Amino acid sequence: MGNKETIIIDYLSQPEVFAELFNGYVFGGKQVIQPEDLHETDGRLRFLLTDIESKGKKSTYEVIKRERDIVREVIVGGRTARLAVFGVEHQSEIDYSMVLRTLTYDTLEYLKQAKAIEREHRRKRDVKGREFLSGFKKEDELLPTITIVFYTGKERWDATRDLKGLFGASPYLEEMLPFMVAAPLNLISVYDVEDTTKYHGSLKKVFDLLRYTEDKDAMSEYLDSHAEAYSRLDEATARMVAFLLNLDLSDEEEMQLKEGGLDMCKALEDMKKEAEEKGKIEIILSMLGKGMSCEEVSSLTDVPLERVTQIAAME
């Protein structure tokens, strides 16, 4: 089925999916971001720390490097022509320091922007006085940046969702917090998105379907009533759903993908039948292991004798 990281990144990198992700999570479902307004940008973040030693010794340097999975620049606000830097970080396991990681990403992004502004001023030689020291003018602005963690693990996320959760107990902590960085963790846990109405397109289909992961009968009923919506999923969406539902696509289904779409209703029905067949085989093998004959097993399970004999040969 392919590398799981590649499947997730390939799906989220689609402009319409990326736009809907932020429209739903950040803007409450309002269609603020349009796919055509998204522009790829470098997700690599580097910052050079300088330690200037005294007494004529050489400076020492340390480079901080980070890289987000997907980063896009987008015009937000139309005529204002303001660009926001949006990043998505895929996570399949719980990381108890994740809030610190995303804070680092966003901080490095701002430092990267400030450094670029400084270099441009140095090149133009248009800063002087107090502005010369920082390389940053009073009217200079940074582009707002938001990082969303797209969590695909089935275990409920129990790590802290803000920086406060990493601090130990202190009788003065609550008094200190208003003067500290809040750094909330923007997290989407795909298996328990509570309000899917904020999302649209294939992303909503994915979130809606995943609500029934633990109840295959309820999933079948849901698909029956939404058959048209899931009848021809595009390749990226189909692979995403297959990965999240732990579904191995057959050769026939792979061919359907290449021909332009997959009937997920049929694929999931085949998966259910396969699971039922495996369960039936386990029961038959257990009965045979207790000394029952193939004829007795066939009579009790209503499975044809020929099939029971085939299963017996599997031992």
Side-chain angles (χ1 to χ4, degrees), residues 216-217 219-220 223-224 245-248 252-253 263-283 303 307 311:
K216 294 298 185 294
D217 289 333
M219 182 181 289
S220 294
L223 286 172
D224 287 342
L245 294 180
N246 197 28
L247 171 63
D248 289 324
E252 179 184 349
E253 289 161 349
D263 186 343
M264 187 54 65
C265 300
K266 183 178 183 303
L268 289 171
E269 185 61 31
D270 291 343
M271 178 184 71
K272 183 179 178 182
K273 289 179 179 178
E274 183 180 348
E276 291 174 349
E277 178 65 16
K278 287 182 180 179
K280 188 179 296 184
I281 290 174
E282 290 177 1
I283 292 173
V303 176
R307 177 57 180 153
I311 295 172

Side-chain angles (χ1 to χ4, degrees), residues 36-275:
E36 59 270 21
D37 293 332
L38 292 167
H39 306 282
E40 291 193 26
T41 187
D42 191 357
R44 293 172 295 180
L45 299 169
R46 298 182 182 86
F47 192 76
L48 184 66
L49 294 179
T50 307
D51 179 17
I52 303 177
E53 299 183 4
S54 59
K55 298 181 180 180
K57 293 183 179 180
K58 293 183 178 180
S59 302
T60 58
Y61 301 92
E62 179 183 357
V63 179
I64 300 177
K65 296 181 181 180
R66 297 290 187 276
E67 184 168 0
R68 286 178 291 183
D69 292 326
I70 314 171
V71 182
R72 298 290 184 268
E73 288 186 348
V74 59
I75 296 174
V76 178
R79 293 181 181 177
T80 61
R82 291 285 295 148
L83 287 175
V85 180
F86 292 147
V88 171
E89 178 74 6
H90 168 240
Q91 190 74 14
S92 59
E93 301 290 340
I94 296 175
D95 182 342
Y96 290 100
S97 66
M98 194 71 215
V99 65
L100 190 57
R101 282 177 56 188
T102 56
L103 174 61
T104 302
Y105 292 147
D106 293 347
T107 301
L108 287 177
E109 173 60 43
Y110 291 133
L111 290 172
K112 174 183 175 182
Q113 292 180 37
K115 200 68 177 178
I117 291 172
E118 178 187 353
R119 283 197 296 267
E120 184 63 14
H121 285 317
R122 301 296 185 202
R123 185 184 69 80
K124 293 180 177 180
R125 298 184 179 182
D126 61 353
V127 286
K128 57 184 178 180
R130 74 182 87 182
E131 293 178 338
F132 181 82
L133 295 176
S134 64
F136 204 88
K137 289 187 174 184
K138 182 179 180 180
E139 62 268 24
D140 287 333
E141 297 177 338
L142 297 178
L143 309 179
T145 179
I146 298 172
T147 300
I148 290 179
V149 176
F150 195 80
Y151 174 57
T152 59
K154 286 191 175 182
E155 186 179 356
R156 183 169 290 276
W157 185 274
D158 62 352
T160 180
R161 300 197 184 202
D162 56 38
L163 195 59
K164 179 178 68 174
L166 294 181
F167 302 137
S170 167
Y172 302 106
L173 181 59
E174 291 300 322
E175 295 176 70
M176 297 163 62
L177 288 175
F179 305 95
M180 301 168 64
V181 176
L185 177 65
N186 300 306
L187 180 86
I188 294 178
S189 182
V190 299
Y191 291 99
D192 53 9
V193 176
E194 294 182 0
D195 185 5
T196 64
T197 61
K198 296 187 298 184
Y199 301 93
H200 300 83
S202 68
L203 194 61
K204 185 178 189 305
K205 294 178 186 178
V206 171
F207 290 158
D208 279 337
L209 189 61
L210 293 180
R211 291 187 298 176
Y212 303 99
T213 305
E214 302 302 322
D215 190 340
K216 294 298 185 294
D217 289 333
M219 182 181 289
S220 294
E221 291 180 12
Y222 173 76
L223 286 172
D224 287 342
S225 59
H226 297 80
E228 186 176 351
Y230 293 88
S231 61
R232 290 191 71 80
L233 293 182
D234 63 90
E235 182 172 358
T237 305
R239 292 196 185 283
M240 171 78 167
V241 172
F243 161 66
L244 294 173
L245 294 180
N246 197 28
L247 171 63
D248 289 324
L249 300 181
S250 65
D251 292 339
E252 179 184 349
E253 289 161 349
E254 289 286 353
M255 185 63 68
Q256 290 178 22
L257 279 178
K258 294 176 182 179
E259 292 175 352
L262 176 68
D263 186 343
M264 187 54 65
C265 300
K266 183 178 183 303
L268 289 171
E269 185 61 31
D270 291 343
M271 178 184 71
K272 183 179 178 182
K273 289 179 179 178
E274 183 180 348

